[in-house]
């Protein structure tokens, strides 16, 4: 079975540029999560979707970050304009159900470097 | 509110020796508990989970964890580690609701040949 697919795996860009990260969840999963992982702050939940609807975006750092889920098989996380402090590994995860008993399945992440 | 504390940021252990990675949680309601493993340049993978029932939970790769409600702990153990177990391990808690899982800060297990 295909797992969660993220693209690109690596992204290097200059400060001020727009960055778009992509995620394809596991087919049939109805919950999708975006996380950011850094040495300093560990793993942070940015936003959570259920049935394509954003449920909790309280972890989104600021207005420069936006996330969309236009359908059940695709989500994007966009940073505009990007800043060096956005450098991190961004993970997408998906799971089935709403009750919290199902584990999350993670993609391999996008390593983002903002110069 | 829920929280997770992983007391050790790094744990070195010799190959074939036993290991215990500690996890304590805080929650005012019943919890679901998870251990995930992250290998270099990969995402997190589920090792095991506790939902209810038996307090001793067995997972993949020979790992097990014991849920202790009185001590609010969920320590991860393996009787004999292998080089391939070198990775970072995350404890996580969920108090139900819409699945906002809280992850610990991670413990890096380094297996020494």
């Amino acid at each position: 079975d295909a797992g969660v697919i993220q693209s690109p795996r690596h992204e290097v860009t200059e400060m001020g540029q727009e960055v778009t990260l992509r995620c394809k969840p596991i087919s049939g999963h109805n919950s999708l999560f975006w996380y950011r992982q850094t040495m300093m702050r560990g793993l942070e939940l940015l936003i959570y979707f259920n049935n394509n609807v954003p449920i909790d975006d309280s972890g989104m750092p600021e207005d420069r970050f936006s996330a969309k889920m236009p359908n059940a098989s695709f989500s994007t996380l966009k940073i505009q304009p990007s800043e060096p402090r956005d450098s991190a590994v961004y993970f997408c995860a998906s799971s089935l159900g709403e009750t919290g008993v199902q584990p999350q399945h993670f993609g391999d992440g996008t390593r983002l470097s903002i110069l | 509110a829920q929280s997770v504390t992983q007391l050790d940021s790094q744990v070195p252990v010799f190959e074939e020796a036993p290991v215990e990675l500690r996890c304590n949680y805080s929650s005012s309601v019943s919890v679901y508990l998870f251990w995930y493993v992250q290998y270099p340049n990969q995402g997190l993978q589920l090792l095991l989970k506790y939902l209810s029932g038996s307090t001793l939970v067995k997972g993949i790769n020979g790992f097990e964890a014991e849920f202790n409600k009185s001590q609010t702990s969920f320590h991860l153990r393996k009787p004999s580690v292998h080089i391939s177990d070198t990775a970072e391990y995350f404890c996580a808690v969920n108090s139900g609701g819409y699945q906002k899982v809280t992850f610990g800060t991670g413990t890096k297990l380094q297996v020494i040949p």
Side-chain angles (χ1 to χ4, degrees), chain A residues 26-80:
Chain A
I26 291 173
S27 178
H29 283 190
N30 62 345
S31 296
L32 184 138
F33 310 81
W34 282 101
Y35 290 89
R36 178 172 66 178
Q37 187 178 39
T38 61
M39 290 289 290
M40 292 297 294
R41 301 174 69 91
L43 196 63
E44 304 172 275
L45 176 66
L46 300 178
I47 188 168
Y48 156 68
F49 290 89
N50 182 255
N51 293 325
N52 313 336
V53 176
I55 303 299
D56 183 352
D57 64 356
S58 60
M60 295 286 265
E62 47 199 273
D63 291 346
R64 298 183 298 104
F65 285 70
S66 63
K68 294 182 180 180
M69 191 163 187
N71 57 62
S73 59
F74 184 66
S75 177
T76 59
L77 177 68
K78 188 172 293 186
I79 309 172
Q80 167 63 20

Side-chain angles (χ1 to χ4, degrees), chain A residues 9 37 56 95 97-98 100 104 107, chain B residues 36 38 41 43-44 97-99:
Chain A
R9 287 297 313 275
Q37 187 178 39
D56 183 352
S95 70
E98 303 174 14
Q104 296 179 20
Chain B
Y36 287 83
Q38 184 179 28
N41 299 316
L44 280 67
Y98 69 83
Q99 293 195 63

Side-chain angles (χ1 to χ4, degrees), chain A residues 1-39:
Chain A
D1 289 343
V4 175
I5 299 173
Q6 292 186 245
S7 64
R9 287 297 313 275
H10 303 273
E11 175 89 13
V12 181
T13 192
E14 292 187 347
M15 181 175 63
Q17 297 298 306
E18 178 178 290
V19 174
T20 300
L21 310 181
R22 298 172 176 79
C23 174
K24 177 178 171 56
I26 291 173
S27 178
H29 283 190
N30 62 345
S31 296
L32 184 138
F33 310 81
W34 282 101
Y35 290 89
R36 178 172 66 178
Q37 187 178 39
T38 61
M39 290 289 290

